[in-house]
């Protein structure tokens, strides 16, 4: 029997809200106790907030959507395509030269993981929605790549846990706002 969070009345959006708000509260407490590490100037704070909403908020949401539609192993495989997207972004933006050896290594790791996971998947199973799950899985990878790229610059200047705290708190506010707007719409209809 396949366990689904939807069977308990949770949908991916609710699980995302629970996770980011819970982690955001913990990180807010950490921030209060470690004020000296929370020195992020306003001109960089917006990048940390954007990274948090895009990376922490959307990455978690898309991952929960993906595992609700396809087997978790395939969802994780898709999420771990993020390094491929990061390598292509670095190449396209001219940040660094990507060696053939690195690209070969990424391809081999992805290929090996694909063979290990895909071997046991029945793509014709009516139990899964592979089209939606794969799209959500790719969005998971893109949001994780975006989070990594946005924080790549900031992590050299500021404490990584401070960036995580800002990101989770921002994602918590974002998903709380989304949920409150949906709840208001549900009440009005």
């Amino acid at each position: 029997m396949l366990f689904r969070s939807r069977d308990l009345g949770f949908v991916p959006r609710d699980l995302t809200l629970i996770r980011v708000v819970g982690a955001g509260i913990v990180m807010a407490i950490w921030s209060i106790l470690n004020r000296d590490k929370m020195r992020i100037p306003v001109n960089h704070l917006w990048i940390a907030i954007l990274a948090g909403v895009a990376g922490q908020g959307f990455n978690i949401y898309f991952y929960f959507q993906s595992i609700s539609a396809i087997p978790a192993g395939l969802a994780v495989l898709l999420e771990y395509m993020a390094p491929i997207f990061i390598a292509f972004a670095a190449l396209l933006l001219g940040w660094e030269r990507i060696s053939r050896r690195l690209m070969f290594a990424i391809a081999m790791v992805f290929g090996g993981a694909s063979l290990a996971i895909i071997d046991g998947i029945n793509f014709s199973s009516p139990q899964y929605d592979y089209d939606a799950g794969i799209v959500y899985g790719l969005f998971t990878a893109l949001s994780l790549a975006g989070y990594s790229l946005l924080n790549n610059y900031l992590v050299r200047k500021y404490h990584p846990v401070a960036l995580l705290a800002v990101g989770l708190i921002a994602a918590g506010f974002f998903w709380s706002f989304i949920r409150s707007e949906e709840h208001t719409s549900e009440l009005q209809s």
Side-chain angles (χ1 to χ4, degrees), residues 15-166:
L15 292 173
T16 303
L17 177 65
I18 292 166
R19 183 171 173 179
V20 296
V21 168
I25 290 169
V26 170
M27 295 312 295
I29 293 168
W30 180 89
S31 301
I32 291 167
L33 297 174
N34 295 283
R35 285 189 193 117
D36 58 315
K37 293 183 172 95
M38 290 299 297
R39 307 262 188 249
I40 302 174
V42 175
N43 63 334
H44 288 153
L45 190 60
W46 71 270
I47 299 172
I49 290 170
L50 178 64
V53 171
Q56 297 294 330
F58 283 117
N59 178 265
I60 295 165
Y61 173 73
F62 290 137
Y63 177 72
F64 284 141
Q65 285 285 15
S66 184
I67 64 172
S68 70
I70 59 177
L74 182 56
V76 170
L77 174 67
L78 292 168
E79 179 178 21
Y80 289 136
M81 287 182 63
I84 297 170
F85 294 137
I86 292 169
F88 284 130
L91 182 66
L92 292 173
L93 296 171
W95 290 346
E96 61 183 78
R97 188 177 167 278
I98 306 298
S99 69
R100 286 186 181 144
R101 185 169 30 176
L102 177 61
M103 290 308 292
F104 179 73
I106 290 172
M108 293 303 292
V109 168
F110 184 74
S114 298
L115 291 174
I117 292 171
I118 292 176
D119 182 47
I121 293 177
N122 177 6
F123 284 101
S124 62
S125 171
Q127 186 175 13
Y128 298 108
D129 181 0
Y130 284 100
D131 293 338
I134 289 171
V135 169
Y136 282 123
L138 291 172
F139 281 145
T140 303
L142 286 170
S143 61
L144 180 58
Y147 176 72
S148 298
L149 291 169
L150 286 169
N151 271 333
N152 185 42
Y153 169 74
L154 295 177
V155 79
R156 290 184 222 139
K157 296 178 176 261
Y158 309 110
H159 196 281
V161 182
L163 296 171
L164 181 63
V166 169

